[in-house]
């Protein structure tokens, strides 16, 4: 982005210096910038410049107005195949969300959220029989998406039948400026002997080169969802064939190696467990009966620095955690026995109050920051 050029098209009148225009433009929402690309060729060139895209992202990541909660309605029982985009505000009485059509959904295929990273969302697609089909990268602010076919699709039957257990992680390698997807296939052979001696397979997709490669690694049985922090993907692992919790397993994206961190002591296999990120720190939360706990790792990578941050009680059993919102609310799913249904609730750590949310449990929730990253 040259500082000597000025913005504006042809015609007379004063022209805004290019660097001044860039400083103004980086503060605008993605929706406005997409319109301003049509103002003139110099603005279009400036907004499309990869350096401006990175500059705009750096600014957006620090400002609350650019942070949103995306609610994807694209699962097995999806009604609208749409994404509701909520602003960074309390969810008990949210303002009307923006409604965005999910462009790649094709029933009766199934879709599941993989994760969000640097403004992009990754979604997996499988057929109605459980066979993997594709991955989709989606920038819901530019409305662009990209489909990626899998090298060797697997069919994923229930654990009790035996077969392939596939977990995915979506991340960004700052060293190579590249988005990556990590795909781990582990074979479970409860009833099928041919799966028992198969080793796990680890595959890594590079967005920049549009290619897959296979790594030779030993990996334990992992949970389905991963969180990305400090250049690492994080899952929690299971002991044996899923009869207890093991540790937090890390995958270093730049070096492509696995490591592990001990979980806080005292976590029972009967607990509901989840790994998340809170204020740029690794955190775990778990519940047992009415009691819920949130632990934070104060010194990243040091198990001795686990510290219990919150303890609170619920009146209904917790069936799942959805993580923290940008403003610090903890989102959970509870089993409401009185109404014989599941509900989404939020817990405010400051006030200690619970709120029932107007969000169906069929939605997949993910925090996302506005970006112009191209696809």
């Amino acid at each position: 982005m040259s500082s000597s050029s000025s913005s504006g098209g042809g015609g007379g009148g004063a022209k805004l210096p290019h660097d001044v225009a860039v400083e103004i433009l980086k503060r605008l929402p993605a929706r406005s910038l997409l319109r301003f690309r049509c103002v003139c060729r110099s603005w279009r060139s400036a907004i499309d410049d990869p350096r401006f895209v990175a500059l705009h992202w750096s600014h957006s990541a620090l400002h609350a107005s650019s942070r949103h909660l995306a609610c994807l309605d694209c699962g097995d029982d999806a009604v609208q195949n749409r994404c509701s985009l909520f602003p960074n505000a309390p969810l008990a009485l949210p303002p009307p969300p923006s409604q965005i059509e999910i462009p790649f959904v094709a029933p009766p295929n199934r879709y599941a959220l993989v994760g969000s990273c640097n403004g992009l969302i990754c979604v997996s697609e499988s057929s109605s029989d459980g066979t993997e089909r594709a991955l989709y990268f989606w920038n819901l602010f530019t409305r662009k998406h990209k489909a990626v076919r899998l090298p060797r699709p697997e069919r994923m039957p229930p654990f009790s039948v035996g077969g392939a257990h596939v977990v995915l992680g979506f991340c960004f390698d700052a060293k190579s400026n590249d988005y990556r997807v990590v795909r781990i296939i582990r074979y479970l052979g409860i009833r099928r002997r041919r799966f028992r001696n198969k080793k796990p397979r680890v595959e890594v997709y590079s967005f920049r080169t549009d290619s897959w490669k296979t790594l030779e690694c030993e990996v334990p049985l992992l949970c389905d969802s991963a969180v990305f922090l400090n250049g690492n993907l994080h899952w929690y692992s299971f002991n044996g064939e899923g009869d207890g919790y093991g540790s937090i397993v890390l995958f270093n994206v730049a070096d492509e190696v696995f490591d592990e961190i001990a979980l806080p002591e005292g976590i029972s296999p009967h607990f509901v467990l989840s790994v998340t990120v809170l204020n740029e720190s690794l955190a775990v939360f778990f519940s047992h009966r009415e009691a819920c706990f949130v632990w934070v790792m104060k010194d990243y990578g040091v198990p001795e620095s686990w510290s219990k941050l919150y303890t609170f009680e619920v009146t209904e059993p917790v069936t799942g955690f959805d993580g923290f919102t940008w403003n610090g609310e903890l989102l959970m799913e509870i089993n409401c026995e009185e109404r014989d249904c599941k509900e989404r609730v939020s817990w405010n750590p400051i006030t200690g109050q619970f709120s029932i949310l107007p969000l169906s449990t069929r939605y997949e929730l993910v925090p996302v920051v506005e970006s112009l990253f191209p696809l």
Side-chain angles (χ1 to χ4, degrees):
M1 294 183 290
S2 171
S3 60
S4 61
S5 63
S6 59
S7 65
K15 296 180 180 180
L16 196 64
H18 181 85
D19 287 353
V20 175
V22 167
E23 281 297 310
I24 296 172
L25 292 173
K26 78 176 186 180
R27 291 168 165 79
L28 299 179
R31 179 177 60 254
S32 299
L33 291 173
L34 293 176
R35 293 200 304 267
F36 292 164
R37 291 175 72 252
C38 303
V39 171
C40 61
R41 282 178 293 181
S42 62
W43 277 25
R44 183 187 185 97
S45 176
I47 293 170
D48 289 348
D49 190 310
R51 291 168 294 179
F52 176 78
V53 171
L55 183 67
H56 177 263
W57 158 254
S58 298
H59 186 272
S60 296
L62 299 175
H63 290 78
S65 61
S66 299
R67 300 171 179 174
H68 306 269
L69 181 70
C71 304
L72 281 69
D73 185 13
C74 62
D76 292 349
D77 54 353
V79 175
Q80 297 180 318
N81 291 326
R82 286 182 173 271
C83 173
S84 300
L85 196 63
F86 290 92
N88 183 27
L91 291 171
L93 294 171
S98 302
Q99 296 291 334
I100 303 170
E101 183 178 359
I102 303 175
F104 47 80
V105 169
N109 292 333
R110 301 171 178 174
Y111 298 86
L113 176 71
V114 178
S116 173
C117 189
N118 287 18
L120 298 187
I121 290 175
C122 182
V123 175
S124 66
E125 178 187 66
S126 60
S127 59
S128 56
D129 67 354
T131 301
E132 297 177 294
R133 292 177 57 89
L135 296 172
Y136 291 92
F137 299 95
W138 183 34
N139 187 326
L140 54 83
F141 301 99
T142 65
R143 307 298 198 268
K144 301 295 185 181
H145 72 278
K146 175 184 177 179
V148 175
R149 296 300 163 185
L150 298 168
R152 285 174 287 183
E154 297 283 355
R155 185 172 178 271
M156 296 171 286
F159 279 5
S160 59
V161 176
H165 176 230
V166 180
V167 299
L168 297 162
F170 181 42
C171 52
F172 182 76
D173 179 14
K175 185 182 294 185
S176 60
N177 194 35
D178 188 18
Y179 289 94
R180 305 278 182 88
V181 172
V182 178
R183 179 172 176 250
I184 304 171
I185 304 100
R186 186 179 182 87
Y187 297 94
L188 304 175
I190 296 175
R191 293 185 184 176
R192 298 183 182 180
R193 291 183 179 179
R194 67 187 179 93
F195 289 120
R196 290 180 182 173
N197 296 322
K198 277 198 172 186
K199 293 183 178 181
R201 191 169 76 239
V202 180
E203 298 170 338
V204 180
Y205 173 78
S206 165
F207 188 91
R208 184 168 52 86
T209 63
D210 190 28
S211 63
W212 290 87
K213 69 177 178 180
T214 302
L215 306 179
E216 296 293 332
C217 304
E218 287 291 338
V219 187
L221 181 62
L222 303 177
C223 66
D224 290 335
S225 59
V227 297
F228 182 62
L229 176 69
N230 292 344
N232 296 306
L233 283 167
H234 305 75
W235 299 264
Y236 65 81
S237 67
F238 297 97
N239 293 324
E241 293 291 327
D243 56 356
Y245 298 121
S247 62
I248 294 178
V249 174
L250 293 71
F251 179 77
N252 185 287
V253 179
D255 298 333
E256 296 183 338
V257 295
F258 284 92
D259 201 352
E260 61 179 346
I261 298 175
L263 285 163
E265 295 182 358
I267 296 181
S268 163
H270 304 292
F271 291 0
V272 176
L273 175 66
S274 184
V275 180
T276 189
V277 174
L278 174 61
N279 298 328
E280 300 302 317
S281 294
L282 188 65
V284 297
F285 33 77
F286 53 91
S287 70
H288 181 53
R289 297 175 181 170
E290 294 82 17
C292 297
F293 310 91
V294 178
W295 288 67
V296 173
M297 180 172 280
K298 292 185 175 181
D299 188 3
Y300 182 75
V302 181
E304 293 78 14
S305 69
W306 281 118
S307 176
K308 188 185 295 183
L309 184 63
Y310 302 128
T311 300
F312 59 95
E313 291 190 353
V314 292
T315 57
E316 304 283 357
V318 175
T319 58
F321 292 98
D322 295 310
F324 287 91
T325 64
W326 292 112
N327 60 10
E329 291 180 86
L330 175 58
L331 306 182
M332 300 174 287
E333 295 180 20
I334 62 171
N335 187 17
C336 184
E337 297 178 354
E338 181 179 341
R339 287 186 287 276
D340 191 27
C341 66
K342 290 185 178 180
E343 292 181 330
R344 270 207 165 97
V345 301
S346 67
W347 177 70
N348 188 316
I350 298 175
T351 65
Q353 292 183 331
F354 290 89
S355 300
I356 297 177
L357 303 180
L359 300 175
S360 169
T361 55
R362 74 171 183 268
Y363 293 156
E364 300 233 42
L365 308 183
V366 61
V368 64
V369 177
E370 291 188 22
S371 83
L372 297 169
F373 286 113
L375 291 170

